[in-house]
Amino acid sequence: LRAAGGPACGIAVPLRIAGPLQGVRFVTPGKRSAFGKLDCRLALVLDDMARILQAHGVVELRIDNMYRPRAHLPRAGKRRRLKPSQHSYGLAADIVEFQLADGRKLDVERDWHGTLGSLVCGPDATLLEPNAEAVALRNVICAIAGARLFNHILTPSYDEAHRDHVHMDIKRDAREIEIH
């Protein structure tokens, strides 16, 4: 990890991932992109997650973005103010791909094979096409969820906006954990 260089509104201490964490390479937006910045608290969680990734044979993780300064949650009502997303604090990561030691790539959009609203983990979770990549992808996601590192994990089963990535975030002062 290294200092991100320059301010990032909403992030107390902006960092960038500069090398492997626990032997896992994290591919993030380049140094010219604000989307590659993260808060130090997310860096600690990603380091813990890297141990789980390594145990599942993941050698590389591709993240589309972490920091999006103007990201907001959808409005629930006409008069409600927009609530900032955890991306606006550098406390979220949108993961698009896992590369395994055997060279296989688990692409979230291609390999998810679930339906909207379906259970993600557990004995009642189902896959539309249970091939090796889909099973491996679910095993990794469910192992991360089981470790309870993140407060929210939103998968392609959550909604159409997450069809191509898995959103994982930590929320300041949160006590609940949700996976969709």
Side-chain angles (χ1 to χ4, degrees), residues 36-106:
K37 294 179 181 181
L38 71 157
D39 185 273
C40 59
R41 293 167 289 186
L42 180 60
L44 292 171
V45 171
L46 293 179
D47 188 61
D48 289 342
M49 182 180 76
R51 289 183 179 93
I52 297 166
L53 297 175
Q54 191 178 53
H56 284 267
V58 175
V59 295
E60 183 177 284
L61 177 75
R62 189 166 300 277
I63 297 176
D64 182 57
N65 64 77
M66 292 175 284
Y67 176 58
R68 293 195 331 256
R70 290 180 265 301
H72 288 85
L73 299 174
R75 292 175 80 150
K78 289 183 181 180
R79 296 180 183 223
R80 292 191 54 162
R81 288 185 36 195
L82 292 177
K83 183 177 177 182
S85 159
Q86 296 308 304
H87 281 292
S88 67
Y89 305 116
L91 295 173
D94 286 346
I95 300 168
V96 295
E97 185 180 85
F98 301 83
Q99 182 172 338
L100 302 179
D102 64 10
R104 289 184 296 153
K105 291 185 178 184
L106 309 177

Side-chain angles (χ1 to χ4, degrees):
L1 297 170
R2 64 177 164 75
C9 183
I11 301 177
V13 180
L15 301 173
R16 289 189 183 275
I17 299 173
L21 300 175
Q22 305 298 327
V24 177
R25 183 171 179 247
F26 283 68
V27 179
T28 63
K31 63 183 176 181
R32 293 183 180 254
S33 171
F35 300 149
K37 294 179 181 181
L38 71 157
D39 185 273
C40 59
R41 293 167 289 186
L42 180 60
L44 292 171
V45 171
L46 293 179
D47 188 61
D48 289 342
M49 182 180 76
R51 289 183 179 93
I52 297 166
L53 297 175
Q54 191 178 53
H56 284 267
V58 175
V59 295
E60 183 177 284
L61 177 75
R62 189 166 300 277
I63 297 176
D64 182 57
N65 64 77
M66 292 175 284
Y67 176 58
R68 293 195 331 256
R70 290 180 265 301
H72 288 85
L73 299 174
R75 292 175 80 150
K78 289 183 181 180
R79 296 180 183 223
R80 292 191 54 162
R81 288 185 36 195
L82 292 177
K83 183 177 177 182
S85 159
Q86 296 308 304
H87 281 292
S88 67
Y89 305 116
L91 295 173
D94 286 346
I95 300 168
V96 295
E97 185 180 85
F98 301 83
Q99 182 172 338
L100 302 179
D102 64 10
R104 289 184 296 153
K105 291 185 178 184
L106 309 177
D107 180 276
V108 173
E109 185 170 28
R110 181 192 66 216
D111 298 322
W112 186 253
H113 301 298
T115 58
L116 288 178
S118 63
L119 290 175
V120 174
C121 301
D124 295 327
T126 59
L127 294 169
L128 293 175
E129 299 174 38
N131 61 34
E133 284 74 22
V135 170
L137 178 58
R138 287 294 178 97
N139 287 342
V140 170
I141 298 300
C142 293
I144 294 167
R148 303 176 65 84
L149 300 173
F150 295 93
N151 297 105
H152 297 99
I153 299 177
L154 305 177
T155 70
S157 292
Y158 181 64
D159 65 9
E160 181 62 24
H162 292 87
R163 74 185 178 292
D164 61 353
H165 67 279
V166 175
H167 167 95
M168 298 182 180
D169 73 44
I170 56 175
K171 186 174 179 182
R172 296 178 289 185
D173 302 323
R175 288 176 173 61
E176 78 282 353
I177 296 176
E178 299 176 22
I179 179 166
H180 302 281

